[in-house]
Short mmCIF file of all heavy atoms in Angstrom, two decimals:
data_model
loop_
_atom_site.label_atom_id
_atom_site.label_comp_id
_atom_site.label_asym_id
_atom_site.label_seq_id
_atom_site.Cartn_x
_atom_site.Cartn_y
_atom_site.Cartn_z
N MET A 1 0.85 -1.18 0.00
CA MET A 1 -0.01 0.00 0.01
C MET A 1 0.90 1.24 0.00
O MET A 1 1.80 1.35 0.82
CB MET A 1 -0.88 -0.03 1.25
CG MET A 1 -1.72 1.20 1.46
SD MET A 1 -2.96 0.97 2.74
CE MET A 1 -2.32 2.05 4.00
N PRO A 2 0.69 2.18 -0.90
CA PRO A 2 1.53 3.39 -0.93
C PRO A 2 1.03 4.43 0.10
O PRO A 2 0.01 4.27 0.73
CB PRO A 2 1.28 3.91 -2.35
CG PRO A 2 -0.09 3.43 -2.68
CD PRO A 2 -0.23 2.09 -2.00
N TYR A 3 1.82 5.48 0.25
CA TYR A 3 1.38 6.62 1.06
C TYR A 3 0.10 7.14 0.43
O TYR A 3 -0.06 7.11 -0.80
CB TYR A 3 2.43 7.72 1.06
CG TYR A 3 3.64 7.40 1.87
CD1 TYR A 3 4.75 6.79 1.30
CD2 TYR A 3 3.69 7.71 3.23
CE1 TYR A 3 5.87 6.48 2.05
CE2 TYR A 3 4.81 7.41 3.99
CZ TYR A 3 5.89 6.80 3.39
OH TYR A 3 7.00 6.50 4.14
N LYS A 4 -0.81 7.67 1.27
CA LYS A 4 -2.04 8.21 0.69
C LYS A 4 -2.69 9.25 1.59
O LYS A 4 -2.48 9.27 2.80
CB LYS A 4 -3.04 7.10 0.41
CG LYS A 4 -3.63 6.44 1.65
CD LYS A 4 -4.66 5.39 1.26
CE LYS A 4 -5.27 4.72 2.48
NZ LYS A 4 -6.30 3.77 2.10
N PHE A 5 -3.45 10.12 0.95
CA PHE A 5 -4.32 11.07 1.66
C PHE A 5 -5.68 10.41 1.76
O PHE A 5 -6.14 9.75 0.82
CB PHE A 5 -4.45 12.39 0.87
CG PHE A 5 -3.20 13.23 0.88
CD1 PHE A 5 -2.34 13.21 -0.18
CD2 PHE A 5 -2.91 14.04 1.97
CE1 PHE A 5 -1.19 13.98 -0.20
CE2 PHE A 5 -1.76 14.83 1.98
CZ PHE A 5 -0.90 14.80 0.90
N GLU A 6 -6.34 10.61 2.88
CA GLU A 6 -7.66 10.02 3.10
C GLU A 6 -8.56 11.13 3.63
O GLU A 6 -8.21 11.84 4.58
CB GLU A 6 -7.51 8.91 4.13
CG GLU A 6 -8.77 8.21 4.52
CD GLU A 6 -8.49 7.10 5.52
OE1 GLU A 6 -8.35 7.39 6.71
OE2 GLU A 6 -8.39 5.95 5.09
N ILE A 7 -9.73 11.32 3.02
CA ILE A 7 -10.71 12.29 3.47
C ILE A 7 -11.77 11.53 4.27
O ILE A 7 -12.32 10.54 3.79
CB ILE A 7 -11.36 13.05 2.30
CG1 ILE A 7 -10.30 13.83 1.53
CG2 ILE A 7 -12.45 13.97 2.81
CD1 ILE A 7 -10.82 14.50 0.26
N THR A 8 -12.02 12.00 5.49
CA THR A 8 -13.04 11.41 6.34
C THR A 8 -14.01 12.49 6.79
O THR A 8 -13.74 13.68 6.66
CB THR A 8 -12.42 10.73 7.58
OG1 THR A 8 -11.74 11.72 8.36
CG2 THR A 8 -11.45 9.63 7.19
N LYS A 9 -15.13 12.07 7.32
CA LYS A 9 -16.11 13.00 7.87
C LYS A 9 -16.26 12.68 9.35
O LYS A 9 -16.51 11.53 9.73
CB LYS A 9 -17.44 12.84 7.13
CG LYS A 9 -18.36 14.02 7.28
CD LYS A 9 -19.53 13.92 6.30
CE LYS A 9 -20.37 15.15 6.34
NZ LYS A 9 -21.51 15.05 5.41
N ASP A 10 -16.11 13.69 10.22
CA ASP A 10 -16.18 13.46 11.65
C ASP A 10 -17.63 13.56 12.16
O ASP A 10 -18.56 13.81 11.39
CB ASP A 10 -15.24 14.39 12.41
CG ASP A 10 -15.59 15.86 12.29
OD1 ASP A 10 -16.75 16.20 11.94
OD2 ASP A 10 -14.72 16.69 12.57
N LYS A 11 -17.81 13.35 13.46
CA LYS A 11 -19.14 13.35 14.05
C LYS A 11 -19.84 14.69 13.95
O LYS A 11 -21.06 14.76 13.96
CB LYS A 11 -19.05 12.92 15.53
CG LYS A 11 -18.68 11.47 15.71
CD LYS A 11 -18.60 11.10 17.18
CE LYS A 11 -18.16 9.66 17.34
NZ LYS A 11 -18.05 9.28 18.75
N ALA A 12 -19.05 15.75 13.84
CA ALA A 12 -19.61 17.11 13.72
C ALA A 12 -19.97 17.44 12.27
O ALA A 12 -20.47 18.52 11.99
CB ALA A 12 -18.63 18.14 14.26
N GLY A 13 -19.68 16.51 11.34
CA GLY A 13 -19.99 16.73 9.95
C GLY A 13 -18.92 17.46 9.17
O GLY A 13 -19.12 17.85 8.02
N GLU A 14 -17.75 17.64 9.80
CA GLU A 14 -16.65 18.31 9.11
C GLU A 14 -15.77 17.29 8.40
O GLU A 14 -15.67 16.13 8.83
CB GLU A 14 -15.81 19.12 10.09
CG GLU A 14 -16.56 20.29 10.66
CD GLU A 14 -15.67 21.17 11.51
OE1 GLU A 14 -14.85 20.65 12.28
OE2 GLU A 14 -15.78 22.39 11.37
N PHE A 15 -15.13 17.72 7.33
CA PHE A 15 -14.24 16.86 6.54
C PHE A 15 -12.83 17.04 7.06
O PHE A 15 -12.38 18.16 7.31
CB PHE A 15 -14.32 17.23 5.06
CG PHE A 15 -15.67 16.96 4.47
CD1 PHE A 15 -16.63 17.95 4.45
CD2 PHE A 15 -15.98 15.72 3.95
CE1 PHE A 15 -17.89 17.70 3.91
CE2 PHE A 15 -17.23 15.45 3.41
CZ PHE A 15 -18.19 16.44 3.40
N ARG A 16 -12.12 15.95 7.25
CA ARG A 16 -10.75 15.96 7.73
C ARG A 16 -9.87 15.17 6.77
O ARG A 16 -10.33 14.23 6.14
CB ARG A 16 -10.64 15.40 9.12
CG ARG A 16 -11.38 16.25 10.13
CD ARG A 16 -11.26 15.72 11.54
NE ARG A 16 -11.98 16.60 12.47
CZ ARG A 16 -11.45 17.64 13.09
NH1 ARG A 16 -10.18 17.95 12.89
NH2 ARG A 16 -12.17 18.38 13.88
N VAL A 17 -8.63 15.58 6.65
CA VAL A 17 -7.65 14.89 5.80
C VAL A 17 -6.64 14.21 6.70
O VAL A 17 -6.10 14.80 7.63
CB VAL A 17 -6.94 15.87 4.86
CG1 VAL A 17 -5.87 15.16 4.05
CG2 VAL A 17 -7.94 16.57 3.96
N ARG A 18 -6.38 12.93 6.42
CA ARG A 18 -5.32 12.20 7.09
C ARG A 18 -4.30 11.76 6.04
O ARG A 18 -4.69 11.41 4.92
CB ARG A 18 -5.88 10.94 7.80
CG ARG A 18 -6.84 11.29 8.89
CD ARG A 18 -7.21 10.11 9.73
NE ARG A 18 -8.04 9.14 9.00
CZ ARG A 18 -8.88 8.31 9.57
NH1 ARG A 18 -9.03 8.31 10.89
NH2 ARG A 18 -9.58 7.47 8.85
N PHE A 19 -3.05 11.79 6.42
CA PHE A 19 -1.98 11.28 5.57
C PHE A 19 -1.49 10.00 6.19
O PHE A 19 -1.08 9.97 7.36
CB PHE A 19 -0.85 12.30 5.46
CG PHE A 19 0.21 11.91 4.47
CD1 PHE A 19 -0.02 11.92 3.11
CD2 PHE A 19 1.48 11.53 4.91
CE1 PHE A 19 0.96 11.56 2.20
CE2 PHE A 19 2.47 11.15 4.02
CZ PHE A 19 2.21 11.18 2.66
N LYS A 20 -1.57 8.90 5.43
CA LYS A 20 -1.27 7.60 5.96
C LYS A 20 -0.05 6.98 5.29
O LYS A 20 0.14 7.10 4.10
CB LYS A 20 -2.47 6.67 5.80
CG LYS A 20 -3.67 7.13 6.60
CD LYS A 20 -4.87 6.24 6.42
CE LYS A 20 -4.86 5.17 7.47
NZ LYS A 20 -6.09 4.34 7.42
N ALA A 21 0.78 6.32 6.12
CA ALA A 21 1.96 5.60 5.66
C ALA A 21 1.54 4.25 5.08
O ALA A 21 0.43 3.79 5.29
CB ALA A 21 2.92 5.40 6.83
N PRO A 22 2.45 3.62 4.36
CA PRO A 22 2.15 2.31 3.76
C PRO A 22 1.70 1.25 4.78
O PRO A 22 0.94 0.37 4.45
CB PRO A 22 3.46 1.90 3.09
CG PRO A 22 4.10 3.19 2.74
CD PRO A 22 3.77 4.11 3.88
N ASN A 23 2.14 1.39 6.04
CA ASN A 23 1.75 0.43 7.07
C ASN A 23 0.41 0.76 7.70
O ASN A 23 -0.04 0.10 8.64
CB ASN A 23 2.83 0.30 8.15
CG ASN A 23 3.00 1.58 8.95
OD1 ASN A 23 2.35 2.60 8.72
ND2 ASN A 23 3.92 1.54 9.91
N GLY A 24 -0.25 1.82 7.21
CA GLY A 24 -1.58 2.21 7.72
C GLY A 24 -1.54 3.23 8.83
O GLY A 24 -2.58 3.74 9.27
N GLU A 25 -0.35 3.57 9.32
CA GLU A 25 -0.22 4.54 10.41
C GLU A 25 -0.58 5.94 9.91
O GLU A 25 -0.14 6.37 8.84
CB GLU A 25 1.21 4.56 10.94
CG GLU A 25 1.45 5.55 12.04
CD GLU A 25 2.89 5.59 12.50
OE1 GLU A 25 3.68 4.72 12.08
OE2 GLU A 25 3.23 6.51 13.27
N VAL A 26 -1.37 6.67 10.69
CA VAL A 26 -1.71 8.05 10.38
C VAL A 26 -0.51 8.91 10.78
O VAL A 26 -0.13 8.97 11.94
CB VAL A 26 -2.98 8.52 11.12
CG1 VAL A 26 -3.23 10.01 10.86
CG2 VAL A 26 -4.18 7.69 10.70
N MET A 27 0.09 9.57 9.80
CA MET A 27 1.27 10.39 10.06
C MET A 27 0.86 11.80 10.49
O MET A 27 1.55 12.41 11.29
CB MET A 27 2.14 10.44 8.81
CG MET A 27 2.69 9.06 8.47
SD MET A 27 3.70 9.05 6.99
CE MET A 27 5.15 9.89 7.58
N PHE A 28 -0.22 12.33 9.92
CA PHE A 28 -0.78 13.60 10.40
C PHE A 28 -2.21 13.71 9.96
O PHE A 28 -2.67 13.02 9.06
CB PHE A 28 0.05 14.82 9.94
CG PHE A 28 -0.03 15.10 8.46
CD1 PHE A 28 -1.07 15.81 7.92
CD2 PHE A 28 0.99 14.68 7.61
CE1 PHE A 28 -1.13 16.09 6.56
CE2 PHE A 28 0.95 14.97 6.25
CZ PHE A 28 -0.11 15.66 5.73
N ALA A 29 -2.93 14.61 10.62
CA ALA A 29 -4.33 14.88 10.29
C ALA A 29 -4.55 16.39 10.34
O ALA A 29 -3.87 17.09 11.08
CB ALA A 29 -5.25 14.17 11.27
N THR A 30 -5.49 16.87 9.56
CA THR A 30 -5.77 18.30 9.48
C THR A 30 -6.89 18.70 10.42
O THR A 30 -7.54 17.87 11.03
CB THR A 30 -6.19 18.71 8.06
OG1 THR A 30 -7.44 18.10 7.76
CG2 THR A 30 -5.15 18.31 7.03
N GLU A 31 -7.13 19.99 10.44
CA GLU A 31 -8.30 20.55 11.10
C GLU A 31 -9.53 20.12 10.32
O GLU A 31 -9.42 19.55 9.23
CB GLU A 31 -8.21 22.06 11.11
CG GLU A 31 -8.24 22.67 9.70
CD GLU A 31 -8.07 24.17 9.67
OE1 GLU A 31 -8.08 24.82 10.73
OE2 GLU A 31 -7.91 24.71 8.57
N GLY A 32 -10.70 20.42 10.85
CA GLY A 32 -11.94 20.11 10.14
C GLY A 32 -12.27 21.20 9.13
O GLY A 32 -12.05 22.39 9.38
N TYR A 33 -12.77 20.78 7.99
CA TYR A 33 -13.22 21.70 6.93
C TYR A 33 -14.71 21.53 6.74
O TYR A 33 -15.23 20.42 6.83
CB TYR A 33 -12.49 21.40 5.61
CG TYR A 33 -11.01 21.63 5.68
CD1 TYR A 33 -10.13 20.58 5.91
CD2 TYR A 33 -10.48 22.91 5.52
CE1 TYR A 33 -8.76 20.79 5.97
CE2 TYR A 33 -9.10 23.14 5.59
CZ TYR A 33 -8.26 22.07 5.81
OH TYR A 33 -6.90 22.28 5.87
N SER A 34 -15.39 22.64 6.45
CA SER A 34 -16.85 22.59 6.30
C SER A 34 -17.30 21.95 4.98
O SER A 34 -18.42 21.50 4.87
CB SER A 34 -17.45 23.99 6.43
OG SER A 34 -16.91 24.84 5.43
N SER A 35 -16.40 21.90 4.00
CA SER A 35 -16.77 21.30 2.71
C SER A 35 -15.68 20.33 2.25
O SER A 35 -14.50 20.49 2.59
CB SER A 35 -16.99 22.38 1.64
OG SER A 35 -15.76 22.97 1.27
N LYS A 36 -16.10 19.36 1.46
CA LYS A 36 -15.14 18.41 0.90
C LYS A 36 -14.19 19.12 -0.07
O LYS A 36 -13.01 18.80 -0.15
CB LYS A 36 -15.86 17.27 0.16
CG LYS A 36 -14.90 16.18 -0.30
CD LYS A 36 -15.61 15.10 -1.08
CE LYS A 36 -16.27 14.12 -0.15
NZ LYS A 36 -16.76 12.92 -0.89
N ALA A 37 -14.70 20.14 -0.77
CA ALA A 37 -13.86 20.90 -1.69
C ALA A 37 -12.70 21.56 -0.95
O ALA A 37 -11.57 21.60 -1.45
CB ALA A 37 -14.69 21.95 -2.43
N SER A 38 -12.96 22.07 0.23
CA SER A 38 -11.90 22.69 1.03
C SER A 38 -10.88 21.65 1.46
O SER A 38 -9.66 21.93 1.47
CB SER A 38 -12.47 23.38 2.26
OG SER A 38 -13.27 24.48 1.89
N ALA A 39 -11.31 20.46 1.82
CA ALA A 39 -10.38 19.38 2.18
C ALA A 39 -9.53 19.00 0.97
O ALA A 39 -8.31 18.80 1.10
CB ALA A 39 -11.15 18.17 2.70
N LYS A 40 -10.14 18.93 -0.20
CA LYS A 40 -9.38 18.60 -1.42
C LYS A 40 -8.39 19.72 -1.74
O LYS A 40 -7.27 19.44 -2.22
CB LYS A 40 -10.33 18.36 -2.59
CG LYS A 40 -11.07 17.04 -2.46
CD LYS A 40 -11.95 16.78 -3.66
CE LYS A 40 -12.61 15.41 -3.59
NZ LYS A 40 -13.41 15.13 -4.78
N ASN A 41 -8.77 20.98 -1.50
CA ASN A 41 -7.84 22.10 -1.73
C ASN A 41 -6.64 22.01 -0.79
O ASN A 41 -5.51 22.34 -1.17
CB ASN A 41 -8.56 23.44 -1.54
CG ASN A 41 -9.48 23.78 -2.69
OD1 ASN A 41 -9.35 23.25 -3.79
ND2 ASN A 41 -10.43 24.66 -2.43
N ALA A 42 -6.87 21.57 0.45
CA ALA A 42 -5.78 21.39 1.41
C ALA A 42 -4.81 20.34 0.91
O ALA A 42 -3.59 20.53 0.99
CB ALA A 42 -6.32 21.02 2.78
N ILE A 43 -5.33 19.25 0.38
CA ILE A 43 -4.47 18.19 -0.17
C ILE A 43 -3.65 18.73 -1.34
O ILE A 43 -2.43 18.54 -1.40
CB ILE A 43 -5.30 16.98 -0.63
CG1 ILE A 43 -5.91 16.28 0.58
CG2 ILE A 43 -4.44 16.00 -1.44
CD1 ILE A 43 -6.95 15.22 0.23
N ALA A 44 -4.31 19.46 -2.24
CA ALA A 44 -3.60 20.03 -3.39
C ALA A 44 -2.50 20.98 -2.94
O ALA A 44 -1.40 20.99 -3.51
CB ALA A 44 -4.59 20.75 -4.31
N SER A 45 -2.77 21.78 -1.91
CA SER A 45 -1.77 22.71 -1.41
C SER A 45 -0.57 21.96 -0.81
O SER A 45 0.60 22.33 -1.05
CB SER A 45 -2.38 23.62 -0.35
OG SER A 45 -1.41 24.49 0.20
N MET A 46 -0.84 20.89 -0.05
CA MET A 46 0.26 20.12 0.53
C MET A 46 1.09 19.45 -0.55
O MET A 46 2.33 19.40 -0.47
CB MET A 46 -0.27 19.07 1.50
CG MET A 46 -0.77 19.67 2.79
SD MET A 46 -1.37 18.44 3.95
CE MET A 46 -3.09 18.38 3.56
N GLN A 47 0.44 18.94 -1.60
CA GLN A 47 1.16 18.28 -2.68
C GLN A 47 2.03 19.30 -3.44
O GLN A 47 3.16 18.98 -3.84
CB GLN A 47 0.19 17.61 -3.63
CG GLN A 47 -0.46 16.39 -3.04
CD GLN A 47 -1.57 15.82 -3.92
OE1 GLN A 47 -2.32 16.55 -4.54
NE2 GLN A 47 -1.63 14.49 -3.96
N LYS A 48 1.52 20.49 -3.62
CA LYS A 48 2.23 21.51 -4.38
C LYS A 48 3.34 22.16 -3.56
O LYS A 48 4.47 22.31 -4.04
CB LYS A 48 1.26 22.60 -4.83
CG LYS A 48 1.91 23.75 -5.57
CD LYS A 48 0.91 24.81 -5.97
CE LYS A 48 1.60 26.00 -6.62
NZ LYS A 48 0.68 27.10 -6.85
N ASN A 49 3.05 22.53 -2.32
CA ASN A 49 3.97 23.33 -1.52
C ASN A 49 4.84 22.51 -0.57
O ASN A 49 5.87 22.98 -0.09
CB ASN A 49 3.19 24.37 -0.72
CG ASN A 49 2.43 25.30 -1.61
OD1 ASN A 49 3.02 25.90 -2.51
ND2 ASN A 49 1.14 25.42 -1.40
N GLY A 50 4.43 21.28 -0.26
CA GLY A 50 5.15 20.47 0.72
C GLY A 50 6.59 20.15 0.39
O GLY A 50 7.45 20.24 1.28
N PRO A 51 6.91 19.80 -0.85
CA PRO A 51 8.30 19.42 -1.15
C PRO A 51 9.32 20.53 -0.88
O PRO A 51 10.46 20.26 -0.57
CB PRO A 51 8.26 19.09 -2.64
CG PRO A 51 6.86 18.67 -2.88
CD PRO A 51 6.02 19.56 -1.98
N ASP A 52 8.89 21.78 -0.94
CA ASP A 52 9.82 22.90 -0.73
C ASP A 52 9.67 23.54 0.67
O ASP A 52 10.31 24.56 0.94
CB ASP A 52 9.59 23.98 -1.80
CG ASP A 52 9.91 23.46 -3.18
OD1 ASP A 52 10.85 22.66 -3.31
OD2 ASP A 52 9.21 23.85 -4.14
N ALA A 53 8.84 22.96 1.52
CA ALA A 53 8.61 23.54 2.85
C ALA A 53 9.85 23.47 3.71
O ALA A 53 10.60 22.48 3.68
CB ALA A 53 7.44 22.83 3.52
N GLU A 54 10.08 24.51 4.47
CA GLU A 54 11.20 24.55 5.41
C GLU A 54 10.86 23.69 6.63
O GLU A 54 9.70 23.47 6.96
CB GLU A 54 11.45 25.97 5.90
CG GLU A 54 11.97 26.90 4.84
CD GLU A 54 12.23 28.29 5.39
OE1 GLU A 54 12.50 28.43 6.61
OE2 GLU A 54 12.17 29.25 4.61
N VAL A 55 11.87 23.26 7.34
CA VAL A 55 11.70 22.57 8.62
C VAL A 55 12.09 23.56 9.70
O VAL A 55 13.21 24.06 9.72
CB VAL A 55 12.58 21.29 8.70
CG1 VAL A 55 12.47 20.67 10.08
CG2 VAL A 55 12.18 20.30 7.61
N ASP A 56 11.16 23.85 10.58
CA ASP A 56 11.40 24.80 11.68
C ASP A 56 11.50 23.99 12.97
O ASP A 56 10.49 23.63 13.57
CB ASP A 56 10.24 25.80 11.75
CG ASP A 56 10.50 26.90 12.77
OD1 ASP A 56 11.60 26.93 13.33
OD2 ASP A 56 9.58 27.71 12.97
N ASP A 57 12.72 23.68 13.37
CA ASP A 57 12.97 22.87 14.55
C ASP A 57 13.15 23.80 15.75
O ASP A 57 14.18 24.44 15.90
CB ASP A 57 14.22 22.00 14.34
CG ASP A 57 14.48 21.05 15.51
OD1 ASP A 57 13.79 21.16 16.56
OD2 ASP A 57 15.37 20.23 15.38
N THR A 58 12.14 23.89 16.59
CA THR A 58 12.18 24.80 17.73
C THR A 58 12.67 24.12 19.00
O THR A 58 12.56 24.68 20.08
CB THR A 58 10.81 25.41 17.98
OG1 THR A 58 9.88 24.34 18.28
CG2 THR A 58 10.32 26.18 16.77
N THR A 59 13.23 22.92 18.88
CA THR A 59 13.69 22.19 20.06
C THR A 59 15.09 22.59 20.52
O THR A 59 15.53 22.15 21.58
CB THR A 59 13.67 20.67 19.82
OG1 THR A 59 14.57 20.36 18.76
CG2 THR A 59 12.28 20.19 19.48
N ASP A 60 15.78 23.40 19.74
CA ASP A 60 17.14 23.80 20.11
C ASP A 60 17.12 24.94 21.11
O ASP A 60 16.30 25.75 21.18
CB ASP A 60 17.92 24.21 18.87
CG ASP A 60 18.12 23.03 17.92
OD1 ASP A 60 18.12 21.89 18.40
OD2 ASP A 60 18.28 23.30 16.71
#
């Protein structure tokens, strides 16, 4: 199973995006969105902007 984005609907009726590893582990999840289109836009933004995102390590 490859890495994948998964759109789910929570008990409040909001759409959430989860990013899952090949082993099924949820690596991260988003806030709730009021529409599925907004959740899909979030995925598109992560796919487009994620590869060039900086890492801000505040643990130092």
Side-chain angles (χ1 to χ4, degrees):
M1 174 168 111
Y3 287 92
K4 69 177 180 177
F5 289 99
E6 179 178 81
I7 298 174
T8 62
K9 199 169 187 181
D10 65 19
K11 291 180 182 179
E14 292 187 318
F15 296 91
R16 295 182 179 270
V17 176
R18 296 190 290 206
F19 186 70
K20 296 179 92 175
N23 66 358
E25 179 183 351
V26 175
M27 297 178 71
F28 69 82
T30 66
E31 64 183 352
Y33 295 97
S34 59
S35 71
K36 187 183 278 190
S38 293
K40 287 183 176 183
N41 286 339
I43 292 170
S45 177
M46 288 182 267
Q47 289 173 321
K48 177 182 176 187
N49 300 307
D52 296 325
E54 293 182 26
V55 176
D56 187 5
D57 184 352
T58 62
T59 61
D60 295 334

